[in-house]
Each structure stands twice: as C-alpha cells, then as structure tokens.
Amino acid sequence: MIWKCFSVNYFIKRRRWLYPLISIVVALSLCLSTPLPSRAIDWFPILIRGVQVLQLSNVSERQEMELGQQMNKEIASGEVKLSRNSQINRYVEEIGQRLVQYSDRPNLKYTFQVVDDDSINAFATLGGFVYVHTGLLKTAENEAEFASVMAHEIGHIGGKHLLKQMRQRAVASGLATAAGLDRSKAVGLGVELALNRPRSREDEFDADRRGLKTLSRAGYAQSGMVSFMQKLLKSKSSIPTFLSTHPGTS
C-alpha cells in the first residue's frame, strides 16, 4: 500500500516538471522551423557584398592571385590570342621559372603565356601572370635580350605596380567606395590598365632595377637589357608596342 502511494506521488511530481519541459521543447522547435524571410533577405546581400568588395590598399597574396586568375580568363577569352605552340610555350616557361627563383617574390606561383601577336610587347597582371608576344621572341637576338624583358615584367609583379595603379585609378574615377572596389570592376580595370595604359616613369625604373638584379642573379648578361632597348630605339618602323607602354626608354 505504501509503495503504491509512493509511486502515485512520484508520478504526479514528475508530471509537474515534465509538462513545462515539453512546452519549452515544442516552442523551440516552432521557432527554429519557422522561416524568417526578412532576416534572410537582409543579410544575404551583405554577405555576398563582403565577398565581392575588395580593399585595394590591403589585398592579400591569395586575393591577388585570385584576381590574376580572373583577369587571365578575361584576357584569354577574347582580349588576346594565346599561342598553342607547345615548344614555344615550354621554352618561355623554362626561362620564366629560372628567373623567378632570383626575383623579389620567388614563392609566388608564376604563369607564363605566349600571345600570338607579331607586335613587340610583353605585359604582366597580378599574382604572377606574365604574357609575352611572339613578336618579342622574333626580335630578340639572344636569350639574354629576351630574358631581360621577362625579368622586367617580373619586376612589375615584385613591385605590385599594377595593383598600385588600379588603386589610384579607382579613387580618381570614383569607382572605389568607403567599402572598397567591386571585384568585377577591379578585374575589368586591371585588364584595361595592363593592356592599354603605360606605367609611370617611376614604376618603369623600379621594374628595370628589379629586373636587372634578377637577370644577373639568374646568370644572364646584364648587357642583354641594354642591347635590346637600343635595338628598339634604332628601329626604323613604327614605335614598338613595348616602347609605347613603357615610357622613358632612352
């Protein structure tokens, strides 16, 4: 009899705290399962914008390489025609990687590509992407002359010159906001500057200085840079593209 009374009392007391607990669990389940469209709509664009917007004054190496890859896709998709000659591409890649070991940023992953174009030109973007025209290969009389131009472009990457130019242009044109610059606009701006706009005289001297050190450390004759520039200045044809986008050659 005593045992039965104890069992009944225990069951009653247990129900007293069991029911509130069940109520709390049900309420939490309803809150978690109920959609909150207003909050989702408010936060989603902010999160996406955080991914797309860049602070050009503080771009990490990873972001720089990502921008370079995006620029490369745009360049290869229509801006230029890349050469499919495996022998030429391999030759350029070998020289480029030899130079990289002695550059200012040897740990950066570099990509060297050949543009199928007879104009005498070369350019670099971000994150280790360097482009050389077939016309440049045809004009250089020896490997040291050709390597000097590649070392010059690697020097631009070492000095982050395009990134600096992008930042200046974005601020001057009003593209940059307090939050930064939209990634897609940054890519388009970088491609335009790399292909069509000359660097400043200061950047060119800096790229020459860096390139000359890289060239000599890699075992090439420093005279290769001088002789190639002299060759272009003496050219009787129209001004080579390399000179038009690289001021202060004389």
Side-chain angles (χ1 to χ4, degrees):
M1 184 69 177
I2 295 174
W3 175 252
K4 288 183 179 180
C5 291
F6 174 79
S7 300
V8 171
N9 291 333
Y10 176 77
F11 181 71
I12 292 172
K13 290 180 180 179
R14 189 176 180 181
R15 286 199 306 177
R16 287 176 182 173
W17 61 264
L18 184 61
Y19 287 158
L21 179 62
I22 293 174
S23 300
I24 293 172
V25 171
V26 171
L28 285 173
S29 300
L30 289 173
C31 289
L32 293 174
S33 61
T34 302
L36 298 174
S38 60
R39 291 185 181 181
I41 293 174
D42 289 338
W43 281 105
F44 186 73
I46 295 175
L47 293 173
I48 293 299
R49 182 172 176 79
V51 173
Q52 290 180 339
V53 173
L54 293 167
Q55 283 289 353
L56 292 179
S57 59
N58 190 29
V59 173
S60 67
E61 188 172 285
R62 180 183 60 81
Q63 290 175 319
E64 183 187 349
M65 292 179 67
E66 289 174 354
L67 283 172
Q69 291 170 350
Q70 289 179 281
M71 290 179 191
N72 182 64
K73 288 181 180 179
E74 185 169 329
I75 289 171
S77 65
E79 295 291 342
V80 300
K81 180 183 177 183
L82 296 179
S83 173
R84 295 185 179 182
N85 188 312
S86 58
Q87 186 175 358
I88 293 177
N89 279 289
R90 184 166 55 251
Y91 174 71
V92 171
E93 180 72 19
E94 288 175 356
I95 295 176
Q97 295 303 333
R98 175 180 174 180
L99 293 167
V100 163
Q101 300 176 53
Y102 304 95
S103 68
D104 298 312
R105 303 176 70 185
N107 296 325
L108 194 66
K109 183 180 178 181
Y110 284 78
T111 302
F112 299 93
Q113 298 181 85
V114 179
V115 178
D116 192 4
D117 192 316
D118 284 336
S119 61
I120 306 170
N121 197 23
F123 61 94
T125 57
L126 301 179
F129 283 85
V130 177
Y131 306 80
V132 295
H133 287 211
T134 51
L136 183 65
L137 281 161
K138 296 174 182 177
T139 305
E141 290 186 5
N142 53 61
E143 190 168 300
E145 288 188 351
F146 177 68
S148 73
V149 179
M150 293 189 68
H152 175 93
E153 297 303 330
I154 292 172
H156 278 307
I157 294 175
K160 299 184 179 181
H161 296 153
L162 179 59
L163 194 60
K164 182 180 71 175
Q165 196 175 10
M166 288 170 60
R167 183 165 59 246
Q168 293 172 344
R169 176 61 64 84
V171 172
S173 60
L175 292 175
T177 64
L181 180 63
D182 182 84
R183 183 182 291 268
S184 61
K185 291 181 180 178
V187 171
L189 181 61
V191 171
E192 178 195 356
L193 291 172
L195 294 178
N196 304 317
R197 302 293 181 179
R199 304 276 194 269
S200 68
R201 188 181 298 272
E202 179 184 353
D203 287 348
E204 290 307 313
F205 283 142
D206 187 43
D208 281 339
R209 178 181 60 82
R210 293 171 185 268
L212 199 61
K213 288 182 180 180
T214 298
L215 190 70
S216 59
R217 288 171 182 170
Y220 291 105
Q222 292 182 335
S223 58
M225 181 176 285
V226 179
S227 62
F228 185 74
M229 291 296 179
Q230 289 175 336
K231 184 185 284 83
L232 295 184
L233 286 172
K234 293 176 181 178
S235 176
K236 295 180 180 179
S237 59
S238 59
I239 299 176
T241 308
F242 185 80
L243 297 191
S244 66
T245 58
H246 295 68
T249 306
S250 57

